[in-house]
């Protein structure tokens, strides 16, 4: 399999699976703070369990600043994300959070030195337009939910731009583990408060913390630094699509015609981004081979 293709397929599958997260947030009785803390602590145990099995115990010598920044921002991003889901429709929350894609795509040209083709940039902008179409203020959007979602999206852009070079430096497991530890220390009070309240929600909390954060997070980190940020951003838009379907089936949230059109535009322009990046990579490889 092409080294450019497998990360795309893996990340696309993960994005679809992440669509179930808003359903868990709606179904669990824990507060946003408590659910964030439980998610972080369970994933931290998962990461460090693997670290111990591999005999990796030393503090990393590099990327410590990135670990600290992302460890502090991660719980804030997840808290604002959960609050957005709780205070507005799932479609509105998810789509607005992932308007981070065009922001981080443009920023990556300066922060990470990634090239941005005109076709790719226009396609990412098209995805943003699709997101805007999907958000229908007359169909359940709230001001509070929109603000939470936009804040979460801004934090997500900063996180991914910081995580990408950190993972390339230290590897997915080591960076993910130490980042999770910083986040866990920040959320100690919420974790302590959450433990007595888990009760019947334990299976869903375990699914979120171990499956959809620990294991899935490790796979995500392994694949995400291998593709351009523009392509990563377009893949992330698969999560709102999956969440819309899940919300329609489980929560009876009908996105309406406008919502489905917006999601379709997001997916269409995401495919254009993937095609554009793949064509550019193939051309570069052919030129290099000719030299």
């Amino acid at each position: 399999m092409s080294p450019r293709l497998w990360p795309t397929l893996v990340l696309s599958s993960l994005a679809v699976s992440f669509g179930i997260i808003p359903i868990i947030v709606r179904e669990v009785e824990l507060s946003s703070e408590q659910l964030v803390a439980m998610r972080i602590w369970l994933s931290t145990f998962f990461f460090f369990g693997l670290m111990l099995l591999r005999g990796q115990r030393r503090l990393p010598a590099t990327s410590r600043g990135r670990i600290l920044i992302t460890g502090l921002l991660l719980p804030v991003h997840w808290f604002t994300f959960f609050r957005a889901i709780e205070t507005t429709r799932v479609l509105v929350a998810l789509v607005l959070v992932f308007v981070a894609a065009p922001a981080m795509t443009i920023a990556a040209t300066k922060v990470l030195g990634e090239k941005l083709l005109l076709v790719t940039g226009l396609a990412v902008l098209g995805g943003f337009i699709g997101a805007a179409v999907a958000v229908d203020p007359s169909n359940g959007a709230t001001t509070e939910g929109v603000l939470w979602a936009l804040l979460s999206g801004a934090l997500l852009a900063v996180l991914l731009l910081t995580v990408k070079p950190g993972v390339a430096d230290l590897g997915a497991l080591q960076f993910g583990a130490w980042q999770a530890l910083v986040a866990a220390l920040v959320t100690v009070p919420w974790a302590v408060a959450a433990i007595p309240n888990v009760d019947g929600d334990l299976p869903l909390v375990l699914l979120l913390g171990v499956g959809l954060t620990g294991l899935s997070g490790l796979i995500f980190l392994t694949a995400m630094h291998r593709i351009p940020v523009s392509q990563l951003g377009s893949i992330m838009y698969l999560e709102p699509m999956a969440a819309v379907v899940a919300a329609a089936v489980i929560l009876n949230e009908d996105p309406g015609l406008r919502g489905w059109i917006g999601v379709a535009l997001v997916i269409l322009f995401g495919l254009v981004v993937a095609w554009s990046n793949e064509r550019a990579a193939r051309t570069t490889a052919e030129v290099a081979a000719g030299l």
Side-chain angles (χ1 to χ4, degrees), residues 11 13 15 28-29 33 39 70 83 115 118 122-123 131 136 140 156 159 166 214 224 235 276 288-289 291:
L11 291 169
S13 300
V28 170
E29 295 297 327
E33 298 94 330
R39 180 182 190 182
T70 57
R83 287 296 297 153
K115 295 181 179 179
L118 178 61
L122 291 175
D136 184 355
L156 178 61
L159 274 167
M224 61 88 72
I235 290 172
S276 175
L291 295 176

Side-chain angles (χ1 to χ4, degrees), residues 157-238:
V158 175
L159 274 167
L160 291 178
L161 289 173
T162 309
V163 165
K164 198 170 189 283
V167 172
D169 176 33
L170 299 177
L173 179 57
Q174 191 175 19
F175 189 91
W178 291 106
Q179 171 194 255
L181 179 61
V182 173
L185 294 176
V186 172
T187 58
V188 167
W190 297 332
V192 172
I195 292 174
N197 300 322
V198 173
D199 296 333
D201 290 327
L202 183 59
L204 289 177
V205 172
L206 287 173
L207 173 61
L208 177 63
V210 179
L212 294 170
T213 306
L215 178 59
S216 295
L218 178 59
I219 298 172
F220 178 85
L221 292 176
T222 301
M224 61 88 72
H225 74 282
R226 301 175 186 273
I227 62 174
V229 168
S230 58
Q231 190 166 346
L232 174 63
S234 66
I235 290 172
M236 285 160 44
Y237 274 120
L238 290 172

Side-chain angles (χ1 to χ4, degrees), residues 95 99 102 122-135 237 262 265-266 269:
V95 168
V99 297
L122 291 175
V124 173
L125 179 60
F128 174 82
I129 293 172
V133 169
V135 180
Y237 274 120
L265 288 173
V266 164
F269 284 113

